Amino acid sequence: MLLGAHVSIAGGLHEAPKAGKWIGCDAIQIFSRSPRMLRYTKPITEGDVRLWQEALRENGIKAAVIHTNYLINLCSPLKRMVKVARDAFVEEMERAQALGVQLLIFHPGAHMGKGEEKGLKLVAESLDACIERANAPDVVLCIENMAGQGSTIGYKLEHLRKIMDLSKHPERLAVCLDSCHLFAAGYDIRTRDGYETVMSRVGEAIGFDRVRAFHLNDSKGPVNSRVDRHEHIGKGKLKEDTFRFLVNDARFATCPAVLETPGEDPEFRRNLKLLRRLVKP
Ligand SMILES: [Zn+2]
Ligand SMILES: [Zn+2]
């Protein structure tokens, strides 16, 4: 795994790789725009791209991924909101393309009472519409598995499979696995046996080649709690063993794997040190 953390773009995109280096990252995750607003954002200029790519190089960052805006709900039952979501998603794709970032990680969304089947179908339709509209041919869309809070879909591996099956462009889709979300959704990865059982289900439902990125978070909530609350590595319900299994899993050796634990850069640095200690030489 290429280990790292989610870093801030406050002060400009080019600040993120610097923060990444200070934390000790091989990989970083960023928001390419404010994660909590859907309104118009400043376009990315050629100057921004140059500074960003220089900063990646200078700071030794081997992989960068982008997480989309949290407010995008590709399966909202409100027609107007689906349109807003798709417009924002297309913009996210084009920003990723401009920055030379291949992996765009997103949440499938919440059906808000309309049912999971309808939600999954609408997500696939939204993805197809965005893929066909965006000028972003190199961007791979990574569906993130969810904890299953409220009416969010994507908390079962089969949901992720279903979205890929329903899409007309499955070759443009991949998966990002979040350890906290897996556990909160009922996938018990605390022991070696549990981990291998869950991973064989990942292999069957999704295929290891389609798992392209990871979020490494411990979980405040117990197994199957459907609670999405991240905790520092080793301080939550998962303990260190799960992360030892993950960081040493040869199937995921080339995947960027970023922390989204609480706190700021000093806490990320501590968590990342711990993860690196777990890597077997
Ligand atoms: Zn996420
Ligand atoms: Zn989460």
Side-chain angles (χ1 to χ4, degrees), residues 178 181 228 230:
D178 182 308
H181 299 174
D228 183 358
H230 301 182

Side-chain angles (χ1 to χ4, degrees), residues 229-248:
R229 283 186 70 202
H230 301 182
E231 181 55 288
H232 296 290
I233 305 299
K235 296 271 163 65
K237 297 282 187 285
L238 277 173
K239 313 292 181 209
E240 285 180 16
D241 268 349
T242 303
F243 299 97
R244 186 174 290 115
F245 307 145
L246 280 163
V247 299
N248 294 297

Side-chain angles (χ1 to χ4, degrees), residues 107 144 146-147 178 180-181 217 228-230 260:
H107 297 178
E144 181 176 344
M146 302 309 296
D178 182 308
C180 165
H181 299 174
N217 302 310
D228 183 358
R229 283 186 70 202
H230 301 182
E260 293 176 324

Side-chain angles (χ1 to χ4, degrees), residues 104-124:
L104 182 65
I105 298 164
F106 68 98
H107 297 178
H111 63 73
M112 303 172 80
K114 292 285 174 182
E116 291 179 351
E117 287 304 311
K118 276 209 172 115
L120 293 166
K121 196 162 160 273
L122 192 49
V123 173

Side-chain angles (χ1 to χ4, degrees), residues 93 97 131 136-142 169-174 210:
M93 289 176 71
Q97 178 79 28
I131 288 167
D138 302 314
V139 176
V140 173
L141 307 174
C142 295
H169 306 282
E171 76 287 352
R172 299 289 304 277
L173 304 178
R210 307 300 285 278

Side-chain angles (χ1 to χ4, degrees), residues 5 11 14 21 36-37 39 43 58 81 94 115 119 152 161 173 177 244-245 252 266-268 270 279-280:
H14 58 281
K21 184 183 184 183
R36 300 195 187 276
M37 285 184 293
R39 63 171 170 74
E58 280 166 12
M81 287 314 292
E94 291 179 344
T152 55
R161 170 79 265 159
L173 304 178
L177 290 180
R244 186 174 290 115
F245 307 145
F252 308 127
E267 284 81 22
F268 281 134
R270 249 200 333 269
V279 178
K280 294 199 180 103

